[in-house]
Amino acid sequence: MRRARRGIHFGLQYQHFSRVRMLGRFMDREANRPRYYGVLRVENTLLSKGEGLFVDGMPVSPGNSFFEVELSNPLKIPSICVGLSPPDQKPGTPLGSDEKSLGYNVTDSSVHHKGEATPYDACKKGDKIGCGVKFSEDAKDDEPRTVYFTINGREIATQEVEFPACGLFPAISFKTAGDRVQVHLQADGPSMVEEMVVDSCEEDWARLHDVDVNGPFLSYVGRGKSTANVGLAQARKPVTPTNHYFELEIIDPGKNCYVAIGLARRNYPKSRHPGWNYGSIAYHADDGKLFNGVGQGDPFGPRCYKGDIMGCGVMFPRDYQFDE
């Protein structure tokens, strides 16, 4: 393993609706404030009261080109559409059903634009739906721009769209009461470094479970809601006297830095951290403990954080004979 882009993170964050505001009509657009209709908002959590609409107060731009919506309701998948719209999008009009807006509809897993639907990958509870624009430096104002959609950071669809003079704004349309999502308007879009990587390096890995590979970067894309939602990347080749050491760098530790580095047998359970089960040993970043085939670790080293580099190796005897 060369580098780890994201830490494995668990846990569902619940918001307490102690401070809410219900807006039955649109707010004015002074100071670029967001607009709501039939939606409760608590910080970054939106809860619909029926057919509702959210439109951000700032249009997408080269410096603010991507946002994500997390399907945070653990009981059901909401009937929503995530995408872009003009600032005067009409309430009760689903994104993509008119000429000027577009969006990914969670219900039918399709991108809707100008009243037409194109099916793409489906999502599930806990996923993050992203929408962004690929701005080109040499593009003219009247030229179409590429809008793209992601699920858990993985691009699933693109659509060429003509931008109106007023721009397009991050938007979410709701269909049924009780739909709840978390919106992240300042989310980081897919890295330009990733787009420049030609070799995905997937051939280096024998097994990838809830992990995406982009060159030297590994990204956890699982649900992250319980200890069963573990992402595993297992190399194709075993350690040998000539290939006996590897490292990872923690680029993004997630909430708790649930990252483990170690060794495991070939058929190790994909939903278990290395070190938790027989036939494995691993150093865990979150608590600095060494796990050696059991679920209880022993104090071993320091806890690790963003920017730390963790390594794992084997000191083979000089007379060791490796059997291919």
Side-chain angles (χ1 to χ4, degrees):
M1 187 180 297
R2 302 176 186 174
R3 287 179 183 265
R5 181 167 179 253
R6 286 187 170 84
I8 299 171
H9 54 284
F10 302 137
L12 180 64
Q13 298 180 351
Y14 290 93
Q15 300 286 345
H16 297 281
F17 294 92
S18 56
R19 294 182 294 109
V20 301
R21 58 180 174 178
M22 174 64 183
L23 301 178
R25 58 183 178 83
F26 277 110
M27 301 171 60
D28 61 41
R29 300 191 62 247
E30 294 180 3
N32 296 318
R33 289 184 293 179
R35 302 161 47 145
Y36 312 86
Y37 183 85
V39 177
L40 294 168
R41 179 173 184 178
V42 181
E43 297 179 347
N44 66 337
T45 299
L46 302 178
L47 178 67
S48 72
K49 301 296 291 183
E51 285 193 353
L53 179 68
F54 163 81
V55 181
D56 190 32
M58 296 293 292
V60 289
S61 63
N64 185 33
S65 62
F66 182 80
F67 75 103
E68 281 186 319
V69 176
E70 182 177 353
L71 309 183
S72 55
N73 190 338
L75 301 179
K76 68 171 184 176
I77 296 179
S79 301
I80 64 169
C81 195
V82 178
L84 302 173
S85 78
D88 57 352
Q89 182 74 9
K90 294 181 179 180
T93 304
L95 298 180
S97 62
D98 55 3
E99 293 293 316
K100 298 181 179 180
S101 67
L102 77 160
Y104 172 84
N105 192 303
V106 172
T107 303
D108 62 8
S109 307
S110 298
V111 171
H112 291 245
H113 183 49
K114 294 184 177 181
E116 297 183 358
T118 304
Y120 289 99
D121 293 359
C123 59
K124 59 184 181 298
K125 290 178 287 187
D127 283 349
K128 290 183 178 180
I129 312 302
C131 178
V133 179
K134 298 180 180 179
F135 288 94
S136 176
E137 295 182 357
D138 56 354
K140 298 180 181 180
D141 292 340
D142 57 350
E143 290 183 351
R145 293 182 173 91
T146 302
V147 176
Y148 64 96
F149 296 90
T150 65
I151 295 180
N152 298 324
R154 178 175 58 86
E155 185 177 301
I156 62 165
T158 60
Q159 178 71 52
E160 295 296 315
V161 177
E162 295 181 359
F163 270 50
C166 61
L168 289 177
F169 295 67
I172 308 169
S173 60
F174 298 82
K175 185 177 181 180
T176 58
D179 286 344
R180 187 176 81 206
V181 300
Q182 287 187 340
V183 58
H184 306 281
L185 296 172
Q186 303 298 325
D188 293 329
S191 171
M192 290 300 295
V193 174
E194 293 177 7
E195 294 180 6
M196 294 171 62
V197 174
V198 176
D199 183 6
S200 68
C201 296
E202 289 189 5
E203 68 276 5
D204 293 339
W205 302 98
R207 289 198 300 164
L208 292 168
H209 173 67
D210 281 347
V211 173
D212 273 354
V213 179
N214 285 287
F217 297 95
L218 298 177
S219 304
Y220 173 65
V221 295
R223 298 177 64 185
K225 292 186 177 180
S226 73
T227 56
N229 302 140
V230 171
L232 179 69
Q234 189 170 37
R236 185 174 301 279
K237 296 180 180 180
V239 290
T240 66
T242 58
N243 184 29
H244 58 87
Y245 180 79
F246 67 103
E247 292 180 338
L248 65 80
E249 179 181 357
I250 302 174
I251 304 299
D252 182 349
K255 181 181 178 181
N256 297 303
C257 200
Y258 288 148
V259 179
I261 182 174
L263 304 171
R265 66 180 189 270
R266 186 188 301 273
N267 60 343
Y268 190 77
K270 63 182 181 181
S271 61
R272 301 286 289 172
H273 275 301
W276 281 358
N277 284 46
Y278 172 78
S280 69
I281 184 172
Y283 177 24
H284 287 223
D286 63 306
D287 56 12
K289 292 184 178 181
L290 183 72
F291 289 75
N292 190 4
V294 293
Q296 184 174 355
D298 297 318
F300 179 71
R303 294 182 178 181
C304 299
Y305 304 93
K306 180 178 180 179
D308 286 341
I309 297 177
M310 305 173 67
C312 176
V314 177
M315 299 180 66
F316 289 92
R318 291 183 179 273
D319 58 350
Y320 181 82
Q321 298 294 323
F322 179 72
D323 185 3
E324 296 286 350

